[in-house]
Amino acid sequence: MMDRRNYNPLNDYLFKFVFGREERKRITLSFLNAVLEREETDELTDISFIDREFDPQFEEDKRSQLDIYGITSDGSQINIEVQLLNRHNMQKRTLYYWARMYQTLHKGEEYQDLRRSVTINLLNFHLLPQENPHTMYGLYDIQSGHRLTDDLEIHFLEIPKFKIKSVREMRRLEKWLAYFSNKLNENETEELAMSEAAIGEAIQAEQIFMQSDVERWQYEQREKALRDYISEINATRRTSHAEGLEKGLAQGRTEGTEQALLQSLRHLMNELSLPAERAMDVLHIPATERSRYVKLLGQ
């Protein structure tokens, strides 16, 4: 068995290959049932994958692309998102994506026809104050704890918070967290695969992916883009600190800082396929300066 610690199971090309394919939806269903704590007769038995991109309703809207989106056997909409870096907008970004997913009414339909919508965020960083790696949010009355509706359900799985333990002691969701954490040695990984059939299938799918020259090239390009992005952001932050970026925002950026930001913008757009507006959000470029950067990008 290939040592999984040599690659990243949260790479979006690899993740979608394993969890976003019709022929492997048994893997996805096992993962969803673990997160949603569905068991026996309550388990989800099917999911239909749909490629969904939200078109902007207004000119200022951002275009949204869901990582994995599907309709499950109970009629729920499920969106699984993977985030490797903390861009400090996860809470609002999650609500934005969820709200757009929930808006499914067509002409002639009524509000009761709206589908239950569930977002599952797989995060490779710490975000929330809770110690537990799995947190679920819904709509509750603050005083009584009464749940208004189960139409809104947002899950956060913070992978770095997961603490390795014996596979025999792991519950079903913990086994999936161990799979994504990528911290197990070969013997532990083999034990994990034997303890949960769907995880074994996921690991086999990973090996098929890695043996494909085309798939592996895409994987490596995305990993390179991520490394370059982190490096450039760090360089930009160091430059910004040295040259007084806050003052520069009010009085005009230095040419060096501007070029560094332009380079980062192009990288986000070309390598990570982010639209210009989204890339400028990531880099915290003020709204008053965005039109100028759009013109510079067009040069």
Side-chain angles (χ1 to χ4, degrees), residues 95 98 117 135-141 146-156:
L95 286 174
W98 179 89
S117 299
T135 308
M136 190 276 281
Y137 288 88
L139 283 176
Y140 295 88
D141 173 58
H146 173 259
R147 190 172 186 179
L148 180 65
T149 174
D150 66 355
D151 272 15
L152 184 151
E153 194 166 305
I154 297 175
H155 295 258
F156 292 93

Side-chain angles (χ1 to χ4, degrees), residues 192-241:
L192 182 68
M194 293 179 64
S195 71
E196 189 74 26
I199 292 179
E201 293 176 22
I203 293 173
Q204 291 176 0
E206 290 176 346
Q207 295 174 351
I208 293 171
F209 178 95
M210 287 299 178
Q211 290 168 4
S212 167
D213 291 339
V214 174
E215 301 288 6
R216 192 178 184 105
W217 181 87
Q218 291 179 317
Y219 167 93
E220 291 173 349
Q221 290 301 306
R222 188 50 58 96
E223 289 296 292
K224 178 181 181 298
L226 185 62
R227 289 192 299 270
D228 290 347
Y229 168 74
I230 294 172
S231 177
E232 290 173 4
I233 290 298
N234 289 336
T236 300
R237 285 173 178 168
R238 287 193 295 269
T239 302
S240 299
H241 179 74

Side-chain angles (χ1 to χ4, degrees), residues 52 57 77 98-105 114 117:
R52 185 169 182 186
Q57 292 182 334
Q77 299 183 106
W98 179 89
R100 297 300 298 272
M101 178 171 61
Y102 191 57
Q103 297 176 35
T104 55
L105 286 183
L114 286 165
S117 299

Side-chain angles (χ1 to χ4, degrees), residues 33-34 38-39 43 170-176 196:
N33 284 320
R38 299 289 191 92
E39 296 181 355
E43 284 194 344
M170 293 180 189
R171 294 172 295 171
R172 185 166 54 159
L173 179 56
E174 289 177 323
K175 291 179 180 180
W176 280 109
E196 189 74 26

Side-chain angles (χ1 to χ4, degrees), residues 170-186:
M170 293 180 189
R171 294 172 295 171
R172 185 166 54 159
L173 179 56
E174 289 177 323
K175 291 179 180 180
W176 280 109
L177 291 170
Y179 164 85
F180 287 116
S181 73
N182 215 17
K183 296 177 181 177
L184 303 182
N185 61 37
E186 291 187 57

Side-chain angles (χ1 to χ4, degrees), residues 24 35 115 120 131 163 167 198 206 223 269 296 299:
R24 283 187 286 275
V35 174
R115 296 177 182 268
I120 299 173
E131 293 183 6
K163 298 178 181 178
V167 173
E206 290 176 346
E223 289 296 292
M269 294 167 64
L296 291 171
Q299 292 180 353

